[in-house]
Amino acid sequence: MVTLNQDPDGISTITFDLPNSPVNVVNPAVIDAFDDCVSRALADKDVKGLILASAKKDFIVGGDLNGLRNVTKAEDIINVTRKLHALFRKMETGGKPVVAAINGTAVGGGYEVCLACHYRIAVNNPGMQIGLPEVLLGLLPGGGGTQRLPRLIGIQESLPFLLEGKKLRPEEALKKGLVNALVNTQEELRPAAKQWILGSPPLQSPDPGKCIQPWDKKEFRIPGGGVNSPNNAMMLSVAGGLLMKKTFGNYPAPQAILNSVYEGLQLPFDRALEVELRYFAKCVMSVEAKNLIRTLFFVKNEADKGIARPTDIPAADIKKIGILGAGMMGAGIAYAAASAGTEVVLKDVSKENADKGKGYSEKLLNEKLSKNQTTKEKVENILNKISTTGNPADMAGCDLVIEAVFENRELKATVTKESEAVLSKNAVFASNTSTLPITGLAKASARPENFIGLHFFSPVDKMPLIEVIVGKKTSNYAIAVAIDFIRKIKKTPIVVNDSRGFYTSRVFASYLYEGFEMLAEGIAPALIENAGKAAGMPVGPLALADEVAIDLIYKILKQTEEDTGKQRTDASVSIPMRFVEEFKRVGKKDRKGFYEYPADGKKYLWKELTKIFPPAENQPEVTILKKRLLYIQSLEAIKCLEENVVVKPSDADLGSILGWGFPAYTGGVISLIEMVGKEKFAEECKVLAKKYGRRFRPIKHTQTAS
Ligand code: NAI
């Protein structure tokens, strides 16, 4: 697990190699074994210095989240963390130089191990990451990270890493001072570490023969000044407010980090660690951390590994795909697939159009190149993988074809037939439709068992989720191929059954419709928008309707009316209808919607809005609006579960966070109900239903997410 070896020159190497695990993590057993190695090395008078190394591909990837999510008593986490702090202090003050030989990703607790070393050398491998991403899972760097990093690089410099969980590639980490030196190859790493031990210390030592951290020196000053220095005092006095503006108080971890830095940096180091420990335990015990860890770590990892993939189908090697339609979505899919090493045939109505679509990849890659995030050779390699055409016969030889032409049934039917005429019988045909039921589209196919929905989100290069839609006749084979492809392009799949709007669009739409209902009731537009953001949604419902395009919403509603024969008159239909037909305002794409979009980029709510929908004299409490905007989505998601559109509550959760930005602190759209408490949720829905209508009627929710 953790072993100690000594070479003839008196250099001890402590190697992390967690058994039966592809990665190293920090857990209580590792801490004990590590402590034992450090104690032995420090006690051995022949040992001149220590190298910390990893036998895995990565260095250490963090604390053991499984252990953390199962902690039930704060004392337990406090006791373990105190042990870790004591061990780090032993290393720092033990009088022997300790160097971290960072061979791969070192994040979270893994980077905190490095911070407790006197020196950090990393291999310059752009594929690896260094940083403290704990905040993203509702935690704070509890292994001394909130105290060591600001003391190492300064308070202002460290806050983006601590508060945003930013991870850096080695070159950037060197520039920012997170590591001290880089080597080019793995082979150079340990010799460089050894050389540092034999050559450098005790340069910093006040006491000959001893090695000491800067923060343990009497004359230590925090780089850039302490919390009360003029610059920092000013910045910290507004930091809490800025944070609140971003989190609306929904995420306790960033505030805890800020408090820990502010309080801890005014104290001697060992007392500062105790301050951090209190905040850390509070975060570990918080429901927000448990929600974030469950959905964004465990559920997401399982989905990424392909848990939804039928196991009886051999793995598919998807070498070449075809993409029909080189518009916004097709161009984005081409980029994602080619970047993952897949050959892409990008087809549009003409080769010129397809070339334009390929231009999107060129643009993204050139941006990366200008930021030094890739090399010219890699750019060429990726672009060479995309060939363009206007000829449907060029789909021949593709293992998978993804259709992303206009949202039009007849057109989709035509391109399906054209492709199938040249495809091999094993090839899978996928539609990226956002609204048309897959079973219906599959009617144009001669082999509906190979027909599936692959619903990408825009912009494809940034959005991690793909909704896999299973039509009535879709086979397990097609699902397996689709998931193998999604894994190849490193996206996250959820598998859902066919339904109008599938799962994501259907639930997400309920958020927009509730915003429309509020507007019709006379709730002030700014209050509606702020309530959405305060609830944790990325933007308010009206702004989102503008982004999606009001005419698209209108078109979908019309199509639904036509297909189902059911006419609706509620605000969710009448408002988009009036915007399209009466006001001719279709959204952001036209710079006119619920908002105005002037050329200076500063959008504001359309002034006429309050004339058309005069705000009522008495405006409701924002808490009620927040509840309405979130609960309506949870209710729609339960309906999807009960109708078997989405099968697992955990998929519903994951899809909601990754697909449309449902607030992650809740753990997702179903976990929210558990966070509130099932009974309380049902009670509150009853009250809402009385006041606002049947759409809030509680539905018996039988499945749990946690
Ligand atoms: P778009 O309008 O940007 O692109 C459609 C492209 O299809 C155009 O370049 C057009 O020339 C091409 N096309 C038309 N007939 C063709 C044919 N016979 N063969 C090949 N190409 C042809 O549309 P967008 O936004 O990329 O949407 C495409 C599909 O993706 C639609 O079904 C849409 O509902 C769906 N979708 C859109 C999302 C979005 O956010 N825009 C999100 C998810 C799905």
Side-chain angles (χ1 to χ4, degrees):
M1 179 175 324
V2 187
T3 48
L4 178 68
N5 283 303
Q6 196 181 323
D7 79 2
D9 300 322
I11 305 295
S12 276
T13 301
I14 294 179
T15 307
F16 294 88
D17 191 4
L18 201 66
N20 308 320
S21 165
V23 288
N24 285 318
V25 294
V26 181
N27 63 24
V30 168
I31 295 172
D32 284 344
F34 183 15
D35 196 350
D36 177 60
C37 293
V38 170
S39 302
R40 280 194 283 137
L42 291 178
D44 186 338
K45 64 178 179 15
D46 294 335
V47 171
K48 295 196 179 90
L50 286 79
I51 299 174
L52 303 192
S54 156
K56 310 272 191 211
K57 180 172 148 275
D58 289 319
F59 185 69
I60 302 174
V61 297
D64 177 7
L65 290 170
N66 220 352
L68 281 181
R69 77 164 170 168
N70 291 324
V71 171
T72 51
K73 286 200 301 233
E75 298 111 84
D76 294 348
I77 191 67
I78 287 176
N79 290 339
V80 172
T81 313
R82 226 179 237 139
K83 257 192 184 172
L84 184 69
H85 284 170
L87 159 60
F88 284 171
R89 292 303 282 150
K90 192 187 292 179
M91 242 160 67
E92 290 185 311
T93 59
K96 293 187 181 176
V98 186
V99 51
I102 310 170
N103 62 316
T105 289
V107 288
Y111 179 60
E112 288 177 298
V113 169
C114 304
L115 278 172
C117 294
H118 300 104
Y119 202 71
R120 290 157 285 278
I121 308 178
V123 176
N124 189 7
N125 167 8
M128 63 189 248
Q129 297 182 312
I130 293 168
L132 297 170
E134 285 90 337
V135 69
L136 302 176
L137 293 177
L139 300 171
L140 66 72
T146 68
Q147 300 308 313
R148 288 191 177 89
L149 193 62
R151 283 171 171 84
L152 185 70
I153 64 172
I155 296 172
Q156 296 213 19
E157 286 287 315
S158 66
L159 282 181
F161 299 112
L162 296 167
L163 291 174
E164 293 161 27
K166 247 169 120 179
K167 291 177 277 183
L168 299 181
R169 288 177 295 118
E171 259 181 13
E172 295 163 327
L174 178 69
K175 259 190 230 151
K176 294 282 181 189
L178 271 70
V179 299
N180 303 91
L182 298 183
V183 292
N184 286 323
T185 62
Q186 296 289 350
E187 292 69 40
E188 291 166 74
L189 185 59
R190 301 236 189 141
K194 180 168 171 178
Q195 199 187 355
W196 183 78
I197 292 173
L198 295 175
S200 306
L203 290 179
Q204 305 167 323
S205 175
D207 179 0
K210 293 212 166 177
C211 205
I212 190 167
Q213 291 283 33
W215 41 86
D216 285 323
K217 290 193 221 166
K218 270 212 175 69
E219 68 281 14
F220 174 67
R221 294 279 172 277
I222 300 162
V227 294
N228 292 320
S229 70
N231 278 348
N232 286 338
M234 181 113 91
M235 181 270 298
L236 288 166
S237 69
V238 295
L242 291 176
L243 203 61
M244 203 59 185
K245 193 173 163 209
K246 254 175 121 173
T247 64
F248 290 90
N250 290 324
Y251 294 84
Q255 190 61 55
I257 290 171
L258 207 53
N259 293 353
S260 180
V261 169
Y262 182 76
E263 293 168 30
L265 275 115
Q266 302 182 60
L267 293 171
F269 199 78
D270 290 297
R271 281 181 54 208
L273 288 176
E274 280 294 310
V275 168
E276 181 190 272
L277 184 55
R278 274 207 317 274
Y279 284 113
F280 178 58
K282 225 169 138 184
C283 285
V284 171
M285 299 309 292
S286 72
V287 62
E288 290 84 357
K290 299 214 188 293
N291 285 342
L292 286 160
I293 293 172
R294 179 175 64 248
T295 306
L296 288 186
F297 189 80
F298 288 101
V299 175
K300 181 173 180 299
N301 277 356
E302 280 194 338
D304 288 344
K305 283 186 194 145
I307 192 169
R309 188 188 185 283
T311 46
D312 53 339
I313 314 282
D317 181 14
I318 298 133
K319 292 203 177 73
K320 183 170 161 187
I321 68 160
I323 298 173
L324 305 174
M328 187 166 88
M329 297 306 289
I333 300 167
Y335 170 77
S339 299
T342 315
E343 295 283 333
V344 175
V345 185
L346 183 59
K347 186 218 168 250
D348 206 285
V349 286
S350 64
K351 184 167 162 50
E352 290 70 46
N353 264 20
D355 283 338
K356 269 194 213 143
K358 182 173 173 178
Y360 180 69
S361 291
E362 268 168 45
K363 184 179 142 243
L364 291 183
L365 288 165
N366 284 332
E367 279 168 14
K368 269 189 149 182
L369 195 60
S370 69
K371 288 186 205 150
N372 265 343
Q373 289 169 356
T374 187
T375 61
K376 257 197 152 141
E377 196 189 342
K378 281 187 186 152
V379 170
E380 268 168 33
N381 241 331
I382 294 172
L383 290 176
N384 284 340
K385 294 224 175 299
I386 307 176
S387 62
T388 54
T389 181
N391 182 1
D394 289 339
M395 291 297 117
C398 288
D399 306 303
L400 168 73
V401 171
I402 301 169
E403 166 280 297
V405 299
F406 299 130
E407 192 76 339
N408 173 303
R409 270 206 188 100
E410 290 71 39
L411 176 62
K412 289 193 190 284
T414 308
V415 300
T416 305
K417 285 181 185 136
E418 277 174 359
S419 300
E420 285 186 355
V422 294
L423 286 176
S424 78
K425 70 174 194 329
N426 284 334
V428 170
F429 190 94
S431 174
N432 178 45
T433 175
S434 44
T435 59
L436 303 169
I438 289 299
T439 307
L441 291 179
K443 287 192 177 136
S445 168
R447 39 195 177 183
E449 65 283 2
N450 280 10
F451 196 101
I452 196 163
L454 280 184
H455 182 202
F456 288 76
F457 293 76
S458 172
V460 178
D461 58 298
K462 295 223 170 72
M463 297 297 283
L465 188 77
I466 299 178
E467 192 176 15
V468 178
I469 301 129
V470 179
K472 272 218 175 75
K473 295 193 175 159
T474 305
S475 64
N476 274 353
Y477 167 74
I479 301 174
V481 169
I483 292 182
D484 287 341
F485 172 66
I486 294 169
R487 292 192 67 195
K488 186 166 180 188
I489 63 171
K490 298 201 165 59
K491 301 270 182 200
T492 302
I494 59 164
V495 177
V496 308
N497 287 314
D498 201 9
S499 146
R500 187 164 296 282
F502 317 125
Y503 163 66
T504 54
S505 307
R506 178 171 156 183
V507 180
F508 157 78
S510 66
Y511 175 61
L512 305 182
Y513 298 157
E514 197 56 27
F516 299 165
E517 295 288 348
M518 288 176 176
L519 192 62
E521 279 168 31
I523 296 172
L527 185 57
I528 302 174
E529 294 295 86
N530 286 334
K533 285 187 277 183
M537 293 294 291
V539 285
L542 305 179
L544 207 50
D546 273 1
E547 303 258 347
V548 172
I550 308 172
D551 56 343
L552 178 68
I553 299 170
Y554 177 55
K555 216 174 113 190
I556 295 169
L557 287 163
K558 280 265 161 215
Q559 182 80 53
T560 310
E561 274 186 7
E562 227 173 78
D563 292 352
T564 58
K566 278 193 212 149
Q567 281 232 323
R568 286 169 57 178
T569 51
D570 49 14
S572 46
V573 180
S574 65
I575 288 185
M577 187 168 80
R578 287 187 74 190
F579 265 74
V580 174
E581 292 180 359
E582 200 177 319
F583 315 135
K584 313 272 185 260
R585 299 179 70 90
V586 297
K588 191 176 174 187
K589 61 180 176 185
D590 218 15
R591 292 172 169 256
K592 287 189 303 201
F594 292 100
Y595 283 78
E596 290 283 0
Y597 298 88
D600 66 7
K602 285 190 190 142
K603 69 171 186 201
Y604 55 86
L605 278 159
W606 183 34
K607 291 212 168 66
E608 297 296 307
L609 215 49
T610 44
K611 288 189 188 142
I612 303 165
F613 304 100
E617 208 164 288
N618 287 328
Q619 292 290 314
E621 289 272 327
V622 74
T623 40
I624 301 280
L625 301 183
K626 280 164 57 178
K627 270 188 193 155
R628 283 177 63 180
L629 289 168
L630 294 185
Y631 286 17
I632 197 75
Q633 298 181 64
S634 296
L635 286 166
E636 192 62 38
I638 300 177
K639 279 187 210 153
C640 288
L641 275 172
E642 301 300 316
E643 290 169 24
N644 210 31
V645 172
V646 60
V647 180
K648 290 196 318 196
S650 53
D651 277 354
D653 274 348
L654 187 62
S656 69
I657 297 175
L658 300 187
W660 72 90
F662 193 83
Y665 71 89
T666 64
V669 75
I670 297 295
S671 283
L672 169 81
I673 302 169
E674 282 152 43
M675 190 178 175
V676 174
K678 275 187 190 179
E679 271 152 38
K680 187 167 170 223
F681 180 83
E683 280 306 312
E684 291 188 325
C685 284
K686 258 190 219 159
V687 176
L688 291 172
K690 257 198 196 137
K691 198 150 182 208
Y692 303 106
R694 290 161 55 85
R695 64 185 182 282
F696 280 105
R697 263 184 329 168
I699 304 159
K700 197 162 161 39
H701 160 50
T702 47
Q703 306 179 56
T704 79
S706 52

